[in-house]
């Protein structure tokens, strides 16, 4: 990782987003390896290892599908299980990434105080950890749900790349913005879990969007649901919503640029905020 350059007057020069991304890419093996080590350490001395990631989601899907399928009196239980299962596994990943974001720099306080390493390293390590967790859980859930809808894996291979790419990009910049705001405004530590719980209840994950009736507009302005919905639609219907996907891709590119630019401007203040 590089250190900020200085101008001729001695004042520090702000690093460009492009240079930060280039340096982050050069260190990709390091932050990916440390994230992998965290995943392995998490399940050390367990018999099933990382299979617990998928199993915990499958247990939740089975219980929630049985309960809410009965409560909502769904007409086609097979379709409902796939609908709920895909929505829940994506939501759990988004929720885990966002809920842990405000504490990210706090957890790496000693490193930030004692090592001259760009803070983007810690955001990338956390992002890699969330990606690895998601992929292990998602693939296992997808295999199980293929019992109910056989073309899920084919739809994933043929059409799933764009909505999944948008999810991966979103999982980086949105938690990083939350992290930067959390370092400056400690109220986010308490606020984020509350907001996530309310957003989950307002998101058509356990129920269909049409059941919201006049409240359907809340799903349209819900950024977390706008990322989740194209993945579920693509895998279940076998088609890509190109317009939505490309708009989300542009929004994610802008979000990454803003988040890294803000990180560069806050880099020197972060050790004094935690």
């Amino acid at each position: 990782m590089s250190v900020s350059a200085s101008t001729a007057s001695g004042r520090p020069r702000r690093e460009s987003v492009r240079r930060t991304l280039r340096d982050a890419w050069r260190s990709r093996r390091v932050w990916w390896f440390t994230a992998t080590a965290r995943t392995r350490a998490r399940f050390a001395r367990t018999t099933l290892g990382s299979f617990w990631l998928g199993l915990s989601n499958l247990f939740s899907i089975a219980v929630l599908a049985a309960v809410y399928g009965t409560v909502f009196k769904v007409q086609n239980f097979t379709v409902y299980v796939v609908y709920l299962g895909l929505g829940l596994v994506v939501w759990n990943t988004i929720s885990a990434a966002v809920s842990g974001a405000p504490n990210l720099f706090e957890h790496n306080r000693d490193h930030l105080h004692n090592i001259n390493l760009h803070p983007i390293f810690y955001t990338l390590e956390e992002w890699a950890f969330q990606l690895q967790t998601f992929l292990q859980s998602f693939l296992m859930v997808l295999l199980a749900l293929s019992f109910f809808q056989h073309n899920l894996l084919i739809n994933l291979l043929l059409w799933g790349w764009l909505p999944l790419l948008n999810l991966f990009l979103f999982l980086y910049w949105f938690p990083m913005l939350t992290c930067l705001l959390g370092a400056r405004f400690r109220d986010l530590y308490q606020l984020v879990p509350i907001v996530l719980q309310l957003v989950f209840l307002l998101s058509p994950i356990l129920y269909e969007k049409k059941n919201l009736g006049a409240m359907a507009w809340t799903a349209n302005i819900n950024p977390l649901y706008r990322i989740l919905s194209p993945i579920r639609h693509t895998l279940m219907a076998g088609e890509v919503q190109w317009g939505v996907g490309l708009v989300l891709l542009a929004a994610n590119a802008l979000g990454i640029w803003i988040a890294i630019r803000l990180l560069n401007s806050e880099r020197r203040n972060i050790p004094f905020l935690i």
Side-chain angles (χ1 to χ4, degrees), residues 188-243:
L188 279 183
Y189 285 44
Q190 308 300 325
L191 185 60
V192 166
I194 298 172
V195 171
L196 280 175
Q197 188 175 17
L198 295 177
V199 171
F200 176 74
L201 295 175
L202 281 172
S203 301
I205 296 173
L206 301 177
Y207 51 86
E208 294 187 60
K209 183 180 175 182
K210 64 182 181 183
N211 292 340
L212 284 170
M215 294 285 290
W217 61 270
T218 58
N220 296 330
I221 62 170
N222 179 346
L224 306 187
Y225 179 71
R226 301 297 291 182
I227 293 293
L228 180 154
S229 179
I231 298 174
R232 183 164 58 185
H233 175 82
T234 298
L235 295 183
M236 294 187 70
E239 62 178 20
V240 181
Q241 298 169 309
W242 289 106

Side-chain angles (χ1 to χ4, degrees), residues 141-201:
V141 169
L142 202 64
L143 286 173
L145 294 179
S146 295
F147 177 78
F148 299 96
Q149 183 175 337
H150 304 312
N151 60 351
L152 287 179
L153 285 173
I154 295 176
N155 291 341
L156 172 67
L157 295 174
L158 293 179
W159 314 111
W161 63 271
L162 181 57
L164 281 179
L165 175 63
N166 279 321
L167 172 66
F168 295 163
L169 296 177
F170 182 81
L171 287 176
Y172 180 65
W173 72 265
F174 191 79
M176 182 156 74
L177 275 184
T178 308
C179 172
L180 288 167
L181 293 173
R184 189 168 284 278
F185 305 105
R186 295 296 183 94
D187 288 331
L188 279 183
Y189 285 44
Q190 308 300 325
L191 185 60
V192 166
I194 298 172
V195 171
L196 280 175
Q197 188 175 17
L198 295 177
V199 171
F200 176 74
L201 295 175

Side-chain angles (χ1 to χ4, degrees), residues 15-25 257 260 264:
E15 293 181 66
S16 68
V17 172
R18 182 179 178 183
R19 177 177 177 178
T20 304
L21 286 174
R22 187 173 63 242
D23 291 343
W25 174 252
W257 185 83
I260 293 179
N264 284 342

